[in-house]
Amino acid sequence: MKKHTISAFVLFLILQASFINTIAQVTNLAAGVQKISAGQPDKFTPYAFCEELPMKTALASLPAGKLPFKLADIKISTNDRGVVVEIPLDNSEQLYGFGLQLGSFNQRGLKVKPIVNDNPLNDVGYTHGPTTFYVSNKGYGILINTSRYTTFYCGSTAKLNDRKSTDTERKDGNSVDELYKNNNQALGNVTVDIPGAKGIEVFVFEGPDLKNVMQRYNLFAGGGALPAIWGLGIKYRVKADFNQQQVIKMAEYFRENHIPCDVLGIEPKWQTAAYSCSYVWAKDFFPDPNAFIATMKDKGFQVNLWEHAFVSPKSPLYEPLKTKSGNYLVWGGLVPDFADSATRGIFANYHDNTFVKQGISGFKMDECDNSNIAFGSNSWSFPELSRFPSGIDGEQMHQLFGLLYQKTVYDIYKRSNKRTYLDVRASNAFASSYPAALYSDTYDHDQYIKMILNSGFSGMIWSPEVRESNSIKDFMRRSQTAVLSAQTLFNSWYLQNPPWLQINIKKNNAGQLMDNAKEVEDDIRKLFEFRMSLVPYLYSAFADYHFKGIPPFRALVMDYPEDKNTFNLSDEYMIGSGILAAPLTEKMDERKVYLPAGIWYDFNTNQKYEGGKYYTIKPSLTQLPIFIKEGTILPLAKPVEHVTPDTKFEITCFVYGNHTTTGSLFEDDGVSFNYEKGNYNSVNLLWDKNKGAIKRSGSLKGTRYIIKKWQVIN
Ligand code: GAL
């Protein structure tokens, strides 16, 4: 016993000597956003590359925040390993975030390493979208502004010095559960380990409630993205080796069969070299790219091009970028130093002149994450020890690469006053303003649903893509989730035919369509038509993301942070202000749904439910598993097959619950950034005394929404 006391005392002295509490400086950056700086912070951080300025007026109009602790209680210390940050945490707090996590939802009690990786094994924090940012249901968010590989112990460590004399010894039972019970749960902080850093910036986002925290974060990053309106339709990616004629045939298939589709994505073979990339049309596959783009435009399709950022020796970009790249190659190609603005400029100008000016509406920015194991090879990207001319190292470049790639490509569209909707496989913090949807090669439907919720805690957009399936049920349930997400994406990059005609890869590519292919096609058409009906509502939810910072897709705990039943609810989410989605997966014929406080309506049956309770639902494969909150005016449009700048949506307003209530629609040209200069209308919807009325205000000439009908659901 005595020996134990002495060794603890010695350890105490060692700890005192090796940790130096660093003097911190606090700066108020905007209403409810503070920055604590200590030591010598790094140069290459996520915030250093933030695209937009904070939306200060919108930030100031949020209710005043209040932290559950004093800023001075956040401790920052440095030692020869790096920086340690300790943030207070009370016993009842629930934590969320760390980017687009796949496996976990509530992060309380976990050790999380948010590191960019396309192979996120074992739920340790690896993800396509790592952010060193978490939020608490007590109404605040903490962002460690670093691109170093960082570990968060979310109330999962116990420190010797913090041990209270009142602590009792463990009274372990003999069951496995009792033996392995984590006795550290009561620890009062989140500890952050940032090896290699000599200083740090900690951003603190105030609430007062959880949703306000996310609003502040998104508004501070310049407001959420507003994709081009056509981006909210259907995106279909064709097989990687399709040539010009085959893509046109696919476009004709959609139109002839009246299956809605706005964007066709072209995969690797359009280029003369793909791994690494030449960024040059392969003329044997696409003999006349301009004529091809014009044909697609005539048929009402946007064209999106697959690429990644590793520059082939065959590319015209190789020579200009040779001295502006890292000292390691990927697939024989250069890794451009996107941390340098001149390098981004060279890449951007080439893409602008070669593709964007020709009418390419967006890119799929692939392979910008790191990888442990991919297709049998274990080194799929540049090493962490790489060096770049700007001074950034490989580790920090990995964390920021997807973010910087988005910046490079998005800037082309921004300066051309054209909006887009991009695909990207890696992102990071302060990316809220990028209209880029993350996607993944992983294909677990449960995880895909969880990622919809987690995207809302990280200022990211996520598309749970559909490819092949195990069964029709699996296929339809996945398709439902895709329709109820930020981007409806069918990625047939290895499928000759649309998966609704054949779900099995082998048979699909052998041209053996399913016996009931036409029936499944009919069902898919119904789901797509619902998606097109929802475009005005979704577009307005994205406008709220932009102007107010409210994530269009978010976990229920964000709207109901006091409701314990939402703390670990990782498979239901809100879409906009009035829709609750509860997707089903292949394993389910029915599912339990939790409806929070209030009255809710089953969208399919109009049955009324009292909130605060669990129910069992059994939606069919063509019924979308959604509930509408009482007081919602749900504007549903007559579905169009694709959206053009002239599209007029004919809308029926469904009023849920016959009470006086309001709603709104955001109306602009849908394709330019003129809304930033105030060129838009707010269409206010009002239901009062059994009558509907609309009031349009704003400077946009012309209208996009024609309100045809009002219908009460009661
Ligand atoms: C993968 C990507 C797929 C597909 C493929 C083409 O990395 O995630 O969606 O584009 O590359 O080679």
Side-chain angles (χ1 to χ4, degrees):
M1 182 64 203
K2 199 168 175 213
K3 199 168 163 219
H4 178 84
T5 317
I6 289 168
S7 62
F9 181 66
V10 171
L11 198 66
F12 172 78
L13 289 180
I14 294 168
L15 286 177
Q16 290 304 304
S18 62
F19 272 91
I20 301 165
N21 271 340
T22 308
I23 311 243
Q25 221 188 348
V26 177
T27 320
N28 184 273
L29 298 176
V33 185
Q34 325 271 352
K35 181 177 80 176
I36 311 173
S37 317
Q40 283 174 278
D42 283 319
K43 182 174 167 196
F44 301 106
T45 64
Y47 192 60
F49 294 104
C50 184
E51 177 77 22
E52 305 283 353
L53 293 171
M55 309 244 301
K56 290 210 165 158
T57 317
L59 278 162
S61 69
L62 289 173
K66 192 169 169 283
L67 294 173
F69 50 75
K70 293 195 211 76
L71 274 189
D73 293 339
I74 297 179
K75 291 199 191 98
I76 303 178
S77 45
T78 45
N79 67 4
D80 53 7
R81 176 181 163 81
V83 172
V84 174
V85 183
E86 292 166 280
I87 305 110
L89 181 71
D90 87 27
N91 281 344
S92 64
E93 272 181 63
Q94 311 299 315
L95 306 179
Y96 305 91
F98 300 117
L100 194 70
Q101 292 299 320
L102 286 81
S104 54
F105 173 62
N106 190 335
Q107 308 291 334
R108 170 94 206 200
L110 302 184
K111 170 184 169 183
V112 188
K113 269 188 168 201
I115 290 180
V116 70
N117 206 289
D118 83 333
N119 203 249
L121 301 172
N122 295 338
D123 196 21
V124 291
Y126 285 16
T127 159
H128 299 281
T131 58
T132 42
F133 176 49
Y134 70 88
V135 295
S136 159
N137 70 328
K138 285 282 146 83
Y140 67 92
I142 300 287
L143 188 140
I144 308 290
N145 188 27
T146 183
S147 53
R148 293 177 185 275
Y149 292 167
T150 299
T151 306
F152 291 74
Y153 297 85
C154 302
S156 60
T157 51
K159 228 174 167 184
L160 176 62
N161 287 349
D162 292 341
R163 184 171 184 153
K164 296 187 191 81
S165 54
T166 51
D167 279 359
T168 50
E169 291 299 316
R170 286 177 69 154
K171 288 195 190 73
D172 296 328
N174 282 330
S175 77
V176 173
D177 280 353
E178 283 164 325
L179 285 170
Y180 289 173
K181 193 171 151 231
N182 183 354
N183 263 13
N184 291 334
Q185 292 291 343
L187 190 91
N189 74 35
V190 171
T191 306
V192 191
D193 179 25
I194 315 141
K198 293 193 172 66
I200 200 69
E201 292 172 342
V202 179
F203 288 64
V204 182
F205 296 90
E206 294 175 2
D209 68 31
L210 188 45
K211 201 200 267 172
N212 299 140
V213 176
M214 285 316 303
Q215 287 181 268
R216 265 188 228 284
Y217 170 80
N218 292 323
L219 291 170
F220 185 72
L226 185 59
I229 193 163
W230 47 257
L232 299 179
I234 313 295
K235 186 181 270 180
Y236 183 90
R237 306 204 70 92
V238 301
K239 190 155 179 274
D241 59 2
F242 269 19
N243 63 26
Q244 185 166 325
Q245 260 335 97
Q246 286 170 301
V247 183
I248 292 172
K249 239 180 105 189
M250 186 56 76
E252 284 163 354
Y253 161 79
F254 275 99
R255 295 298 179 247
E256 278 161 17
N257 290 283
H258 303 289
I259 300 170
C261 186
D262 268 283
V263 187
L264 280 182
I266 308 185
E267 291 281 316
K269 269 288 187 162
W270 68 270
Q271 297 183 52
T272 52
Y275 283 89
S276 43
C277 283
S278 66
Y279 317 102
V280 173
W281 288 98
K283 288 289 166 81
D284 45 345
F285 274 74
F286 288 84
D288 192 346
N290 287 342
F292 165 70
I293 296 167
T295 307
M296 295 299 283
K297 199 174 163 205
D298 277 355
K299 296 182 188 302
F301 285 94
Q302 311 288 331
V303 179
N304 172 297
L305 293 182
W306 173 97
E307 62 159 55
H308 57 72
F310 305 122
V311 182
S312 161
K314 291 194 182 138
S315 172
L317 273 170
Y318 190 83
E319 276 310 315
L321 290 177
K322 205 168 160 190
T323 55
K324 294 182 171 302
S325 295
N327 61 341
Y328 282 82
L329 301 172
V330 177
W331 300 303
L334 303 172
V335 183
D337 185 358
F338 283 151
D340 168 53
S341 65
T343 308
R344 294 199 298 275
I346 294 169
F347 195 93
N349 288 343
Y350 176 85
H351 278 68
D352 189 7
N353 293 328
T354 321
F355 305 116
V356 178
K357 286 201 169 74
Q358 272 62 23
I360 293 300
S361 71
F363 294 88
K364 168 171 172 178
M365 299 176 284
D366 207 19
E367 318 290 10
C368 48
D369 39 24
N370 203 351
S371 180
N372 287 348
I373 313 150
F375 296 101
S377 137
N378 70 358
S379 65
W380 187 263
S381 201
F382 52 92
E384 271 75 357
L385 51 88
S386 304
R387 306 297 314 191
F388 290 82
S390 64
I392 193 171
D393 65 28
E395 173 180 321
Q396 297 183 79
M397 186 57 119
H398 269 306
Q399 291 288 81
L400 295 178
F401 202 63
L403 195 71
L404 295 170
Y405 193 4
Q406 288 176 76
K407 191 176 185 64
T408 309
V409 172
Y410 177 64
D411 283 352
I412 311 168
Y413 287 94
K414 188 95 205 245
R415 73 186 184 206
S416 322
N417 197 24
K418 281 186 201 152
R419 269 152 67 201
T420 176
Y421 205 15
L422 306 161
D423 305 90
V424 71
R425 225 174 62 186
S427 193
N428 204 318
F430 301 112
S432 317
S433 70
Y434 293 125
L438 283 141
Y439 62 95
S440 179
D441 285 347
T442 66
Y443 200 46
D444 183 297
H445 191 183
D446 291 297
Q447 290 185 349
Y448 273 22
I449 295 166
K450 202 169 287 159
M451 289 155 93
I452 296 180
L453 282 73
N454 284 336
S455 67
F457 294 119
S458 52
M460 290 177 195
I461 299 171
W462 162 242
S463 57
E465 68 182 36
V466 184
R467 307 198 291 264
E468 76 279 11
S469 286
N470 297 324
S471 61
I472 301 288
K473 193 170 144 200
D474 180 37
F475 176 71
M476 289 302 290
R477 293 304 188 199
R478 285 177 180 276
S479 302
Q480 291 187 334
T481 303
V483 161
L484 298 174
S485 77
Q487 177 174 252
T488 304
L489 170 63
F490 281 69
N491 185 9
S492 292
W493 73 275
Y494 47 71
L495 298 174
Q496 189 76 19
N497 294 289
W500 49 87
L501 300 181
Q502 176 53 266
I503 54 171
N504 174 278
I505 305 178
K506 254 195 177 157
K507 290 184 183 162
N508 186 311
N509 288 328
Q512 296 166 19
L513 303 188
M514 298 181 298
D515 292 342
N516 59 348
K518 278 289 166 190
E519 282 159 45
V520 181
E521 185 188 70
D522 283 345
D523 289 348
I524 277 294
R525 189 185 297 103
K526 278 185 204 136
L527 293 188
F528 285 11
E529 284 176 350
F530 173 79
R531 172 70 179 198
M532 299 313 285
S533 295
L534 204 60
V535 167
Y537 175 86
L538 280 178
Y539 193 58
S540 303
F542 271 98
D544 282 347
Y545 186 35
H546 177 71
F547 290 105
K548 299 180 193 159
I550 302 171
F553 293 81
R554 55 189 187 277
L556 264 60
V557 70
M558 214 184 288
D559 290 39
Y560 303 91
E562 304 293 337
D563 181 345
K564 285 198 171 125
N565 294 327
T566 68
F567 289 178
N568 296 304
L569 197 58
S570 61
D571 62 356
E572 291 179 30
Y573 55 91
M574 296 298 300
I575 307 174
S577 56
I579 301 180
L580 183 154
L584 282 80
T585 57
E586 191 190 12
K587 289 154 266 170
M588 304 170 172
D589 284 317
E590 54 180 46
R591 67 158 287 173
K592 224 165 77 175
V593 179
Y594 177 69
L595 298 175
I599 302 288
W600 298 84
Y601 293 82
D602 182 322
F603 176 75
N604 302 299
T605 61
N606 290 337
Q607 194 182 327
K608 211 166 164 174
Y609 290 91
E610 195 186 316
K613 291 187 181 155
Y614 292 88
Y615 297 96
T616 298
I617 56 164
K618 283 187 190 184
S620 73
L621 298 181
T622 49
Q623 288 180 318
L624 286 152
I626 54 175
F627 290 82
I628 318 296
K629 195 168 153 179
E630 187 182 52
T632 300
I633 300 180
L634 183 65
L636 288 183
K638 186 171 154 205
V640 292
E641 285 178 34
H642 61 100
V643 186
T644 69
D646 311 318
T647 298
K648 300 242 186 272
F649 291 96
E650 295 181 13
I651 288 179
T652 301
C653 289
F654 292 89
V655 183
Y656 285 86
N658 193 5
H659 311 295
T660 301
T661 189
T662 57
S664 78
L665 283 168
F666 174 77
E667 186 174 61
D668 77 332
D669 64 23
V671 290
S672 81
F673 287 91
N674 296 351
Y675 68 87
E676 288 190 342
K677 298 185 200 95
N679 193 219
Y680 62 85
N681 292 333
S682 297
V683 184
N684 292 317
L685 309 169
L686 172 70
W687 180 256
D688 189 25
K689 301 194 181 82
N690 286 319
K691 238 184 101 196
I694 61 164
K695 205 174 137 232
R696 215 177 226 102
S697 56
S699 63
L700 184 86
K701 292 206 174 63
T703 57
R704 184 177 277 289
Y705 307 123
I706 302 161
I707 312 294
K708 286 268 180 192
K709 226 170 108 184
W710 294 77
Q711 196 173 320
V712 174
I713 311 289
N714 199 11

